Amino acid sequence: MSFRKPTDAQLVQHFFRKYYEKEYADVFVPSDFDKREFGYTPFGQKIMVRHLSFKSFEDLHKTLVKEAPLHVYRSAAIYRYPQAPMEEKGWIGGELIFDIDADHLNTGCKPAHDYLLCSSCRRKLVEKSSKCPDCGGDVIEVRMICDMCLGHTKMEMAKLIDFIETDFGLDDLTLSFSGNRGYHLSVSSKEVLELGRAERQEIVDYVMANHIDLRMHGLFGGTDAFLPGYDDPGWRGRLARETKKILDSLSDRRSSVYERLEKSLGAKTLEKLEAINSYWAARPRWDLLATGRSGKQLISLTAVAVENSISHIDTVVTTDIHRLIRLADTLNGKTGLKAAVIKPEELEDFNPLNEAVVIPEQPTIKLRVIHSPQFILGGNVFGPYENEAVKLPAYAGVYLMCKGLGTLAND
Ligand SMILES: [Zn+2]
Ligand SMILES: [Zn+2]
């Protein structure tokens, strides 16, 4: 994805600069500021300028106003010499970071808004290619933001926060919208700062239930005499509560859980399980499930319970101790939206399609839109557009130019 014309990039950069001049106050400032590495991607370039460090937030702010970059990053790590080449930086420690992005999730809506498009004949391409096989035109990778994707990533983030706060007992969390299709979480409690790659991998494994062995929790004839109860800590409680939730949802024949279990267990068995559910009120009655000859019911139910309880994080991000991450409260050059910091308790009500819009409405921008599915931004519905000239509020025009779907129209 890139801007269609240099003039598009110039106008978007103008709005970005205005933001850093006028709006970029009261924003997220990383701790140990002068020990962080910073980096940014300038407009019109693919290469990141990195290994930067700043003495103070004011110095960074000045640079952002001057350069008005497309993307701004900072290290999760703190270094003795943040400007030095990687091997000489002197790693002191680093926040524990998580990235949840719709790009890595299976959301049913993606085929409707993610595809390859020829910028000149506007044909949708079936296979990945840098040029259109029909007309040789440039190919645009269309990846729109969608409500459903954002809802999905939000749910995954809520699960993650529960793991971090409840299971690990950590506070000091910074939660932010990515500015595009997901959320970021960084944990700066002192207990995590010095964790190495291997320890971070263990946290990933825990959150994603890698190598979970339910026999260790007393199921499937395991050694533990106590079976998981609703109030148990950690994965035991999660398993019990989620299995109860699944049993509850069996009364809805159209629920996705019902459809999934019907395939493996059949409708008759699900009817029996629905009857068993009434005995699960006070405590989980695992004994009533395990009676099957092969334990098939228990296998199917717990498999879904585990899958539903996992937080689907981007695992590579968390284990990379030198990672640069987007600096919260800066603008995302893929959308023009702000990577806004959110209080964890406000996540549920946060609507990025309203609250992350910081580019103003005025002036109106006249664009030739190559192609755009319908999208919602700033409380308004736009499109769909197909090779037409439209007048848009600045924030919507910026969004389409950042996505490469619109270009300034000549009057
Ligand atoms: Zn074409
Ligand atoms: Zn979607």
Side-chain angles (χ1 to χ4, degrees):
M1 155 203 22
S2 58
F3 295 99
R4 300 263 59 87
K5 289 194 199 126
T7 44
D8 301 335
Q10 279 160 22
L11 182 62
V12 171
Q13 189 179 26
H14 160 82
F15 284 110
F16 276 37
R17 181 169 285 120
K18 280 267 174 288
Y19 168 78
Y20 289 117
E21 265 172 20
K22 303 239 167 13
E23 312 284 331
Y24 191 64
D26 252 342
V27 290
F28 171 74
V29 180
S31 61
D32 298 294
F33 194 82
D34 57 347
K35 295 190 181 68
R36 301 277 176 179
E37 179 195 352
F38 288 86
Y40 63 83
T41 317
F43 274 78
Q45 285 180 38
K46 289 215 166 82
I47 295 166
M48 197 198 295
V49 180
R50 57 179 302 181
H51 307 299
L52 303 173
S53 77
F54 297 96
K55 288 254 170 316
S56 66
F57 174 73
E58 286 67 39
D59 287 351
L60 167 74
H61 192 181
K62 270 184 214 154
T63 303
L64 294 185
V65 171
K66 182 164 165 273
E67 303 293 337
L70 188 63
H71 301 285
V72 186
Y73 304 95
R74 58 117 179 158
S75 60
I78 50 175
Y79 299 107
R80 215 156 277 130
Y81 312 108
Q83 280 176 309
M86 206 40 106
E87 55 283 0
E88 294 163 25
K89 279 190 186 324
W91 191 85
I92 299 171
E95 286 152 62
L96 180 64
I97 53 170
F98 298 92
D99 181 8
I100 293 174
D101 197 300
D103 289 356
H104 301 121
L105 299 178
N106 269 329
T107 60
C109 47
K110 269 195 207 161
H113 56 70
D114 288 9
Y115 46 87
L116 298 168
L117 181 81
C118 170
S119 65
S120 105
C121 71
R122 292 179 299 283
R123 195 172 75 93
K124 282 188 192 178
L125 272 64
V126 188
E127 274 174 47
K128 197 159 184 160
S129 157
S130 60
K131 295 281 174 201
C132 172
D134 275 4
C135 74
D138 288 339
V139 174
I140 308 173
E141 223 179 316
V142 181
R143 288 185 167 193
M144 304 295 277
I145 303 186
C146 125
D147 236 7
M148 214 186 277
C149 286
L150 285 173
H152 202 122
T153 53
K154 190 189 266 192
M155 205 175 70
E156 296 298 325
M157 181 51 84
K159 286 191 278 182
L160 176 65
I161 292 174
D162 189 46
F163 276 115
I164 298 298
E165 289 185 335
T166 312
D167 295 30
F168 290 101
L170 298 170
D171 42 24
D172 224 340
L173 313 184
T174 305
L175 168 66
S176 56
F177 174 51
S178 73
N180 192 17
R181 308 212 298 179
Y183 291 91
H184 297 159
L185 183 73
S186 66
V187 185
S188 36
S189 314
K190 63 176 187 326
E191 292 91 339
V192 302
L193 293 181
E194 287 177 29
L195 296 181
R197 267 173 204 276
E199 291 92 348
R200 288 168 202 250
Q201 180 63 49
E202 283 188 33
I203 293 174
V204 166
D205 287 342
Y206 184 84
V207 164
M208 302 208 50
N210 294 337
H211 328 296
I212 193 167
D213 185 347
L214 300 185
R215 287 172 306 177
M216 306 299 273
H217 298 291
L219 296 166
F220 301 105
T223 49
D224 197 327
F226 299 102
L227 289 160
Y230 294 137
D231 298 325
D232 286 357
W235 268 101
R236 295 174 64 86
R238 277 168 214 286
L239 278 171
R241 292 189 299 270
E242 193 59 39
T243 305
K244 171 68 175 141
K245 228 196 247 174
I246 293 166
L247 290 172
D248 285 343
S249 67
L250 292 182
S251 54
D252 179 3
R253 299 279 185 273
R254 284 168 309 176
S255 72
S256 58
V257 167
Y258 185 92
E259 282 176 11
R260 208 172 140 189
L261 286 172
E262 195 189 13
K263 278 188 202 129
S264 57
L265 295 174
K268 272 235 167 67
T269 306
L270 293 193
E271 236 168 77
K272 278 186 210 153
L273 289 177
E274 221 188 310
I276 284 173
N277 186 25
S278 57
Y279 298 98
W280 271 61
R283 62 185 180 88
R285 292 292 305 271
W286 299 103
D287 54 324
L288 301 178
L289 293 178
T291 49
R293 263 168 297 176
S294 59
K296 204 175 165 197
Q297 298 169 11
L298 190 61
I299 292 172
S300 297
L301 280 173
T302 50
V304 177
V306 168
E307 173 62 23
N308 287 356
S309 303
I310 287 170
S311 174
H312 294 83
I313 57 175
D314 183 350
T315 57
V316 180
V317 173
T318 304
T319 52
D320 181 356
I321 58 170
H322 297 291
R323 192 92 177 179
L324 289 183
I325 53 176
R326 187 175 297 282
L327 178 60
D329 285 333
T330 60
L331 299 182
N332 187 320
K334 290 177 184 169
T335 58
L337 297 177
K338 175 169 136 178
V341 169
I342 314 151
K343 288 189 184 132
E345 62 273 21
E346 288 170 3
L347 175 64
E348 200 180 332
D349 294 327
F350 178 76
N351 179 358
L353 301 178
N354 276 333
E355 292 165 63
V357 176
V358 289
I359 304 287
E361 235 178 282
Q362 295 295 333
T364 302
I365 298 177
K366 205 171 159 194
L367 285 190
R368 163 126 329 245
V369 182
I370 296 160
H371 166 96
S372 167
Q374 193 174 73
F375 63 97
I376 299 173
L377 210 56
N380 291 305
V381 182
F382 299 98
Y385 302 120
E386 188 65 54
N387 192 27
E388 57 193 294
V390 286
K391 282 184 180 164
L392 294 169
Y395 63 81
V398 164
Y399 176 74
L400 286 181
M401 285 191 278
C402 286
K403 295 267 173 212
L405 297 176
T407 181
L408 289 172
N410 306 315
D411 281 313

